[in-house]
C-alpha cells in the first residue's frame, strides 16, 4: 500500500501529465499581479511614511499614506501584470509556431518581452 508504482491521479484520455505553457500563463500573470501589488503597497507605505514624517498622526496623514499605498500598489501590479502577459503571450506564440517546448522558447519570450517593454523608452 505504501509503495505504489502507478500514478495517483486519473488523467482524462489524451491529457498530458504536465501543464502546458498556456495553462501556466494564468498562474504567471496572476502571481505577478499579486507580487506587484504587495511590493507596491510596501513601497507606498515607505514613501507615505517618508513624505508625511513632519505631520502629526491625524486623519489627513493617514489618508495620504493610504493614498500612496493604493497608488503604488496599483502601479506595480499593473506593470508586472503587463510584463507577465507579454511574456506569456510571446511564450505561447513561439511554442505553437515552433511546435516544441524547450528552454529556447523561454529565452526568446523573455528577450522579446524586454525588447518590446524597453522600446518605448
Amino acid at each position: 500500500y505504501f509503495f505504489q508504482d502507478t500514478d495517483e491521479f486519473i488523467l482524462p484520455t489524451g491529457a498530458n501529465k504536465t501543464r502546458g505553457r498556456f495553462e501556466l500563463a494564468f498562474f504567471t500573470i496572476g502571481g505577478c499581479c499579486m507580487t506587484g501589488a504587495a511590493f507596491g503597497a510596501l513601497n507606498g507605505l515607505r514613501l507615505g511614511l517618508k513624505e508625511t514624517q513632519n505631520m502629526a498622526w491625524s486623519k489627513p496623514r493617514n489618508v495620504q499614506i493610504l493614498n500612496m499605498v493604493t497608488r503604488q500598489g496599483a502601479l506595480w501590479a499593473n506593470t508586472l501584470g503587463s510584463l507577465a502577459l507579454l511574456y506569456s503571450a510571446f511564450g505561447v506564440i513561439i511554442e505553437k509556431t515552433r511546435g516544441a517546448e524547450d528552454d529556447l522558447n523561454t529565452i526568446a519570450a523573455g528577450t522579446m518581452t524586454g525588447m518590446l517593454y524597453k522600446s518605448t523608452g
Side-chain angles (χ1 to χ4, degrees):
Y1 182 74
F2 291 113
F3 302 105
Q4 295 180 351
D5 293 335
T6 60
D7 294 332
E8 295 182 27
F9 304 104
I10 300 172
L11 297 172
T13 305
N16 295 334
K17 290 186 179 183
T18 60
R19 292 183 178 185
R21 194 168 195 99
F22 186 70
E23 291 174 352
L24 291 175
F26 297 103
F27 173 76
T28 303
I29 296 166
C32 284
C33 283
M34 297 296 286
T35 302
F39 180 77
L42 289 174
N43 190 35
L45 180 63
R46 182 186 62 83
L47 290 173
L49 290 172
K50 183 179 177 184
E51 288 184 10
T52 61
Q53 65 186 357
N54 295 332
M55 297 173 66
W57 282 105
S58 60
K59 284 187 179 182
R61 183 178 184 188
N62 292 341
V63 168
Q64 194 167 357
I65 292 172
L66 187 60
N67 285 342
M68 289 295 290
V69 167
T70 306
R71 284 185 195 134
Q72 289 292 312
L75 176 74
W76 280 90
N78 189 17
T79 301
L80 289 182
S82 298
L83 286 173
L85 178 67
L86 284 172
Y87 170 75
S88 297
F90 282 137
V92 169
I93 290 169
I94 292 169
E95 179 186 345
K96 298 299 181 192
T97 303
R98 289 186 63 227
E101 185 175 343
D102 55 5
D103 292 338
L104 185 61
N105 295 350
T106 303
I107 294 169
T111 303
M112 291 173 69
T113 300
M115 287 172 52
L116 182 63
Y117 184 71
K118 285 296 184 180
S119 68
T120 59

